[in-house]
Amino acid sequence: RGQRGLGRLPSDGELDMEGFVEGEAEQSPGKRSRKRDFDRISKEVEKWASNILFEEERTGNGWKEISCNNMMRKKFNRDGRTQVYLKWMSDSRDEQDRESGISDKNSLDYPCIKCYATIDAPMETVCSFLSNEETIPIYNELVVDHDDIEEITPHSKITWTKMPKVLFVKSRDFVTFCSHRWWRDGTQVIVNQACEHDDRPGVMVEGQGDATRGFALRGANFISKDPNDPDKTIISILAHANPGGGLPQWAMNTAVNGVVQIEPFKLFHKINEGACNYQHQSSASSQTAHVNSLPGRSAKPAGIAQLGYTCFWPNGGGLKESN
């Protein structure tokens, strides 16, 4: 398998691959193959997430709607801007992509959360706000440290993120592949999948290091204009995660039940406040000019900080779906 978990994706041609592998002629066969593997991961995760978020019913098939905590509802979801759903499921990645040496990898169910939220700001403002890594503390207190490990393409990278102790679950860190692109209708799509990297080996056993390795197994963020109001934005998120450390099922259940009624609602409440108050003076850069010169790519900013990954492309680089 090598140093990184990669994914197998369908080659049905459903998603446009133009521009995915520019510059390959100057790369070694190994790098070309690896880049194609990551591109296929992006396709598979996007298809998986799109089906769950937009094709399936929001409830049913194991999905349960979660209400905001009664004590926090007036503060974080007074107007019902956010809907949250939870389902427990086994690792959603291919068997070949799962980390070796983890005893519970085939025996437990892990929490998967899907959220739909309306943000009271135009999409351009929301994307600019979320693509600026300096805004992380404004909306996501579950990220205490982060770094880019490796750029795969102008639209994809491998990242490292650290979260603090939450309830009785000690600090966790994550290594995650992230990628983004733009649909024809202007929707920004960011997908992620847990992977491995030699530059950031993880501590798999609870208590043997500063942070235990967790896994943002699979996920996606879809950011689009509100079809009913051009001054508002719709964010749809899917996140499947394994906290790692060998936590038993009962412990995961307890931890998730303790945070799922608060944290997703708090996240979108803070994104809404931050985006509505956001003012950013953008300036052209050499990187922006380079992105603009690449065929099939957008210079529009993209990015977000979530539990398990942080990825930012303030100067763009995302692929544009062909007409």
Side-chain angles (χ1 to χ4, degrees):
R1 290 177 62 256
Q3 65 181 5
R4 304 164 181 89
L6 301 179
R8 177 190 61 78
L9 295 111
S11 56
D12 55 10
E14 176 186 354
L15 303 180
D16 174 38
M17 296 289 287
E18 179 184 355
F20 266 46
V21 288
E22 71 272 2
E24 279 196 346
E26 294 77 26
Q27 297 174 348
S28 67
K31 287 186 177 181
R32 290 198 299 269
S33 174
R34 183 164 163 271
K35 181 185 288 187
R36 290 183 185 276
D37 281 334
F38 278 121
D39 288 336
R40 293 194 302 270
I41 285 176
S42 300
K43 287 181 60 180
E44 184 181 57
V45 175
E46 181 179 325
K47 186 176 181 179
W48 168 79
S50 297
N51 182 64
I52 292 176
L53 287 170
F54 307 124
E55 300 298 329
E56 295 183 357
E57 297 292 334
R58 291 195 179 185
T59 57
N61 193 29
W63 289 99
K64 177 184 177 182
E65 184 168 8
I66 303 297
S67 298
C68 187
N69 179 280
N70 287 333
M71 297 181 63
M72 299 293 177
R73 186 174 302 161
K74 287 186 177 180
K75 180 176 182 180
F76 294 143
N77 205 35
R78 177 193 299 270
D79 53 5
R81 79 170 60 255
T82 302
Q83 295 84 48
V84 176
Y85 304 84
L86 172 67
K87 179 179 180 179
W88 292 82
M89 62 176 71
S90 59
D91 193 331
S92 49
R93 299 170 298 170
D94 288 343
E95 177 70 26
Q96 64 181 357
D97 306 326
R98 303 176 191 180
E99 294 72 22
S100 58
I102 301 179
S103 59
D104 66 358
K105 67 176 182 176
N106 294 317
S107 60
L108 297 179
D109 288 336
Y110 306 109
C112 189
I113 296 175
K114 60 181 179 181
C115 308
Y116 307 86
T118 301
I119 307 300
D120 298 326
M123 181 179 172
E124 292 76 11
T125 301
V126 173
C127 291
S128 180
F129 171 73
L130 293 175
S131 70
N132 184 350
E133 62 182 289
E134 295 181 0
T135 66
I136 294 176
I138 296 176
Y139 67 93
N140 195 338
E141 60 191 30
L142 296 181
V143 173
V144 296
D145 198 4
H146 67 96
D147 193 18
D148 287 351
I149 302 176
E150 179 184 357
E151 181 180 90
I152 306 300
T153 68
H155 64 270
S156 63
K157 62 180 69 177
I158 296 175
T159 71
W160 172 83
T161 306
K162 183 179 179 182
M163 62 168 280
K165 179 180 179 182
V166 177
L167 300 178
F168 58 84
V169 179
K170 296 181 180 179
S171 180
R172 293 294 195 260
D173 73 343
F174 304 80
V175 171
T176 311
F177 166 72
C178 301
S179 177
H180 82 290
R181 75 181 194 118
W182 297 86
W183 282 355
R184 280 188 293 269
D185 65 0
T187 298
Q188 178 192 127
V189 182
I190 299 174
V191 300
N192 71 276
Q193 180 165 302
C195 66
E196 298 175 285
H197 199 286
D198 286 347
D199 291 350
R200 287 284 188 172
V203 175
M204 301 300 178
V205 180
E206 190 84 34
Q208 290 191 359
D210 176 54
T212 304
R213 179 57 47 84
F215 307 92
L217 298 173
R218 265 184 170 182
N221 304 263
F222 298 83
I223 305 176
S224 59
K225 292 182 178 180
D226 187 330
N228 300 314
D229 189 338
D231 292 325
K232 294 185 178 182
T233 303
I234 303 295
I235 302 181
S236 304
I237 288 178
L238 185 66
H240 191 200
N242 170 7
L247 287 180
Q249 192 77 59
W250 69 263
M252 281 195 289
N253 293 350
T254 301
V256 170
N257 291 336
V259 301
V260 72
Q261 298 182 56
I262 299 176
E263 292 301 330
F265 300 96
K266 182 197 294 185
L267 173 72
F268 287 110
H269 170 74
K270 290 189 172 183
I271 288 177
N272 186 70
E273 282 193 335
C276 288
N277 296 322
Y278 186 65
Q279 293 183 345
H280 179 62
Q281 296 295 325
S282 61
S283 59
S285 67
S286 59
Q287 182 175 350
T288 302
H290 174 64
V291 167
N292 281 327
S293 70
L294 295 176
R297 294 192 180 276
S298 171
K300 292 187 292 186
I304 198 166
Q306 289 282 23
L307 177 63
Y309 59 95
T310 53
C311 52
F312 306 101
W313 297 271
N315 296 307
L319 291 166
K320 296 185 292 185
E321 191 173 29
S322 297
N323 291 322

